[in-house]
Amino acid sequence: MAIDAVCLQAVVEELKPQLLGLRVDKVQQPARDQAVLLFRGKRLLLNAGAGAPRLQLTELPRDNPAEPPMFCMLLRKHLSGARVAGITQPPLERLVRLEFDASDELGRAGKRTLVLEAMGRRSNLILLDGEDRVIDSLRRVDADMSAQRQVLPGLFYQPPASAGRLPFLEETEAGFAARFASAPAEKSLDGFLLDQYFGLSPLMARELAFRAAGDVDARLFQLGGPGPLWRALEDFSSRVRENRFTPLCLLRDGKPLDFACVPVGQYGGAAECVAYPSFSALLDAFYAARERQERARQRGADLLRAASTARDRLRRKLALQEKEYAATQDRDQLRVRGDLITASLYRMERGQSRLECENYYEDNAPVSIPLDPLLTPQQNAAKYYKRYAKAKTAEKYLREQMDLAKRDLEYLESVLAEIAQAETEADYLDIRAELREAGFLKKQGKGKKEKSRPAAPWEFRTSSGLRVLVGRNNRQNDKLTLKDADRRDLWFHTQKIHGSHVILRCAGQSPTEEDVAQAALLAAWFSQARESGNVPVDFTEVRNVKKPSGGRPGMVVYNTCRTLRVTPEEAAVERLRVK
């Protein structure tokens, strides 16, 4: 869910005592829609993405691109060294203004304001000068995009227009009763609240309906009067006025479902309500997995498109080859027809379109052979022999081409698995370089060399202290297995499922069954079977793993192994991760 105005108010109240007076040390832009302001010991995240706009302190590490975007450079120019002078939110608006005391290039004191508009698809991050003129924004809005409100450099900043509904904090009991009486009796309680009042999220509207009637789908006529719903709304309004908030995460089957700033009971036993020490910690936990997926979608979009297109093209090519290969299996019939025409030359004449004769290969059964009337009998026989020879040659060629296509198809499936689990900028650069080397992406021209930073394998520790290394991509899998690992180390990989190579560094010791089980768990987690249960994982000594001749990156063979079945769990994986 996107953060609502009340939750945003709770976050702002939490941040004020922590940030006021602090100086901005650094500015980063790890993703297209994110900016991070680094203070002494604190990292403030401003996310203007459509799916998760928010403001929070964060502990999650985020990798920055090799070259900072232009908006990041602009923020560095105006905000580096500035002090936070104020954090304000217009009542019940999904908008936060961060005021800064800054100085220009000549050392003259001035004001800067960074505005976060956390409004779904219209979310934006806007930098203003001391007169509230727009210096620039993450997303420029011109007249073609919005006739009512433009966000362009040099224009005075205009906040988004109000929704026109009454803010729920301003409602009185008499006014509520009048609205209740004039509303259709069949109207749902949550629908009534959302239609009449500004500042309520769908989650809270359903929660107030549940508190008033015990059912989120209750209708107005079922209440018998406005009293129960008004009391629920008034209690919630009192909490908001007094800033009595509790950071809560709703979990279903152990996975984040939603979050709220007041207790939520509408899900009953279907969801667990877990309290967090702060809203920033809650938002980190709730958005961690989603943000990882979003970064993968943004950074790996072109890689995903290129790999998917190449895979689909190979699938179509392989289907045609298989069809042609099946046709070559009937080539003996062509040779037989040539033999029968040759044996019947004495009774054939030029211009015949069909030969009726006996097939002495099948007990003289009658057979009808199509002929080309423009060719002589001898030429018709030669034509069938030629088609037979061509089909015989094509069989061998097609088998080779099909083997290559299947190899490349398997390789591209493994690359798609890599893209799905890539996390850092270096991961995407490595995958991009790998696809270029394999010929699935165009090679760069001269002078366009990408900056890349070497990425180390993921590292984990078993409960007994043994190191476990996990390859991030196919090239790293090859290096890890074939060069870095000791011959006596254990190698793990999901059985017939694309995934990372996992090396259990035994260091001359005999690993315990628990060590082996934990390494197998990691192999299952870093594979396409991450969401599955009872995943088969093969393991063997590294000495038994070989690279086949002509094999693509990441492809190996092994002829002896043991198999362990495990069910991957994120919590168990995180306990093993080396921080």
Side-chain angles (χ1 to χ4, degrees):
M1 63 167 286
I3 194 168
D4 62 28
V6 177
C7 283
L8 190 60
Q9 176 182 328
V11 174
V12 169
E13 293 301 317
E14 178 181 279
L15 293 180
K16 282 181 181 179
Q18 301 185 64
L19 295 181
L20 289 178
L22 293 187
R23 186 187 298 273
V24 178
D25 292 330
K26 292 182 180 179
V27 179
Q28 298 173 344
Q29 190 176 345
R32 182 181 60 194
D33 300 323
Q34 296 179 356
V36 177
L37 305 184
L38 279 74
F39 306 91
R40 187 169 54 190
K42 298 182 187 298
R43 298 160 54 88
L44 178 66
L45 170 69
L46 299 103
N47 191 319
R54 66 194 187 279
L55 173 80
Q56 63 164 111
L57 291 176
T58 181
E59 298 292 335
L60 297 178
R62 289 172 171 82
D63 291 283
N64 295 298
E67 296 183 3
M70 292 300 295
F71 189 69
C72 178
M73 298 298 290
L74 179 78
L75 293 181
R76 288 178 180 178
K77 175 183 175 182
H78 290 274
L79 299 183
S80 292
R83 290 188 181 275
V84 181
I87 306 176
T88 58
Q89 176 196 13
L92 299 182
E93 292 283 358
R94 290 178 293 167
L95 183 151
V96 179
R97 293 174 60 102
L98 283 83
E99 310 286 347
F100 294 90
D101 291 330
S103 57
D104 60 17
E105 296 88 343
L106 301 177
R108 294 174 298 194
K111 299 286 185 181
R112 293 292 183 269
T113 302
L114 190 58
V115 180
L116 171 66
E117 297 179 352
M119 300 177 179
R121 290 179 299 173
R122 295 180 290 119
S123 297
N124 208 346
L125 199 57
I126 307 167
L127 181 64
L128 311 178
D129 64 12
E131 299 178 345
D132 260 14
R133 288 182 184 271
V134 176
I135 298 175
D136 210 341
S137 60
L138 197 63
R139 297 183 182 88
R140 295 183 178 182
V141 181
D142 57 23
D144 291 335
M145 300 170 67
S146 174
Q148 291 77 30
R149 176 177 178 259
Q150 288 83 51
V151 181
L152 294 171
L155 298 182
F156 281 105
Y157 174 72
Q158 297 293 332
S162 174
R165 291 167 289 159
L166 179 70
F168 73 88
L169 292 177
E170 299 178 11
E171 183 59 292
T172 63
E173 186 172 3
F176 183 86
R179 292 173 185 272
F180 188 94
S182 61
E186 292 293 330
K187 188 76 173 178
S188 65
L189 299 187
D190 62 325
F192 165 75
L193 292 172
L194 292 173
D195 287 346
Q196 298 294 329
Y197 298 106
F198 173 71
L200 286 174
S201 68
L203 173 68
M204 283 315 306
R206 293 194 305 271
E207 180 62 20
L208 295 178
F210 177 78
R211 293 180 184 182
D215 183 4
V216 295
D217 297 321
R219 308 290 169 173
L220 295 183
F221 73 87
Q222 294 177 274
L223 282 185
L229 189 57
W230 165 250
R231 287 190 291 273
L233 179 62
E234 178 61 19
D235 177 67
F236 178 61
S237 300
S238 298
R239 280 181 171 271
V240 175
R241 292 190 191 97
E242 299 166 9
N243 291 317
R244 289 189 287 118
F245 300 120
T246 305
L248 298 168
C249 185
L250 302 171
L251 303 179
R252 177 178 289 169
D253 299 327
K255 296 182 179 180
L257 171 68
D258 217 329
F259 62 86
C261 57
V262 297
V264 173
Q266 61 186 274
Y267 294 105
E272 178 186 4
C273 205
V274 178
Y276 277 77
S278 67
F279 282 98
S280 291
L282 164 64
L283 294 172
D284 262 354
F286 185 84
Y287 284 112
R290 186 179 300 185
E291 193 174 278
R292 202 160 48 235
Q293 293 170 356
E294 179 64 15
R295 286 200 303 273
R297 186 189 68 79
Q298 290 183 3
R299 293 178 175 175
D302 60 330
L303 296 178
L304 185 64
R305 183 167 54 251
S308 298
T309 301
R311 179 199 59 188
D312 295 341
R313 188 184 301 119
L314 269 176
R315 283 178 174 171
R316 293 192 295 269
K317 180 180 177 182
L318 185 59
L320 290 174
Q321 288 174 340
E322 289 174 343
K323 184 177 180 181
E324 292 176 11
Y325 183 82
T328 65
Q329 302 308 297
D330 295 331
R331 65 180 181 275
D332 284 341
Q333 183 183 7
L334 300 173
R335 179 181 57 80
V336 168
R337 288 183 174 182
D339 289 346
L340 294 178
I341 293 173
T342 302
S344 304
L345 289 176
Y346 68 94
R347 53 178 175 175
M348 294 177 61
E349 296 180 0
R350 185 174 185 139
Q352 284 185 237
S353 60
R354 187 167 294 278
L355 171 64
E356 304 292 341
C357 63
E358 296 78 28
N359 186 353
Y360 53 79
Y361 287 104
E362 296 181 4
D363 298 327
N364 290 324
V367 63
S368 179
I369 302 174
L371 301 174
D372 185 344
L374 299 179
L375 301 179
T376 66
Q378 292 86 349
Q379 288 173 332
N380 270 291
K383 180 180 178 181
Y384 276 108
Y385 286 134
K386 185 176 181 180
R387 288 173 60 189
Y388 168 76
K390 185 177 179 180
K392 187 175 181 180
T393 304
E395 180 186 29
K396 179 182 177 182
Y397 173 78
L398 285 170
R399 189 184 295 115
E400 293 173 353
Q401 293 301 307
M402 286 164 58
D403 289 342
L404 289 175
K406 289 176 181 177
R407 184 199 68 177
D408 287 348
L409 190 59
E410 186 177 353
Y411 168 70
L412 288 171
E413 292 287 358
S414 72
V415 170
L416 289 169
E418 288 177 26
I419 296 171
Q421 66 186 29
E423 295 179 353
T424 67
E425 185 74 13
D427 290 340
Y428 293 105
L429 290 176
D430 284 346
I431 296 171
R432 195 183 306 276
E434 182 184 326
L435 285 174
R436 284 201 181 99
E437 287 182 6
F440 293 107
L441 278 181
K442 290 183 179 179
K443 293 188 176 181
Q444 293 173 300
K446 293 182 179 179
K448 295 184 179 179
K449 189 174 181 181
E450 279 180 331
K451 294 181 180 179
S452 62
R453 291 171 285 186
W458 288 298
E459 185 171 348
F460 300 84
R461 291 270 181 184
T462 66
S463 53
S464 65
L466 295 183
R467 292 176 70 205
V468 184
L469 301 177
V470 181
R472 292 174 177 265
N473 52 66
N474 283 322
R475 294 200 302 178
Q476 196 175 86
N477 285 337
D478 277 353
K479 183 175 182 296
L480 190 60
T481 300
L482 305 173
K483 294 183 179 180
D484 296 345
D486 187 274
R487 289 168 54 81
R488 296 164 295 178
D489 291 341
L490 290 183
W491 177 88
F492 294 76
H493 196 281
T494 43
Q495 186 183 92
K496 298 179 181 179
I497 301 171
H498 295 294
S500 295
H501 292 199
V502 176
I503 302 295
L504 176 60
R505 304 302 295 265
C506 299
Q509 305 177 33
S510 295
T512 65
E513 290 185 4
E514 187 176 10
D515 292 332
V516 172
Q518 289 172 345
L521 173 74
L522 293 170
W525 179 258
F526 290 99
S527 76
Q528 288 183 323
R530 175 177 289 192
E531 302 297 329
S532 305
N534 204 28
V535 180
V537 177
D538 291 343
F539 66 97
T540 185
E541 288 188 337
V542 170
R543 74 180 78 198
N544 299 321
V545 182
K546 309 295 180 186
K547 183 81 173 174
S549 178
R552 288 287 194 185
M555 293 186 180
V556 295
V557 293
Y558 52 97
N559 50 25
T560 179
C561 70
R562 291 170 56 195
T563 302
L564 194 64
R565 290 187 174 272
V566 296
T567 297
E569 297 177 2
E570 184 174 7
V573 170
E574 291 304 317
R575 285 195 296 270
L576 302 175
R577 190 184 295 273
V578 174
K579 305 299 182 182

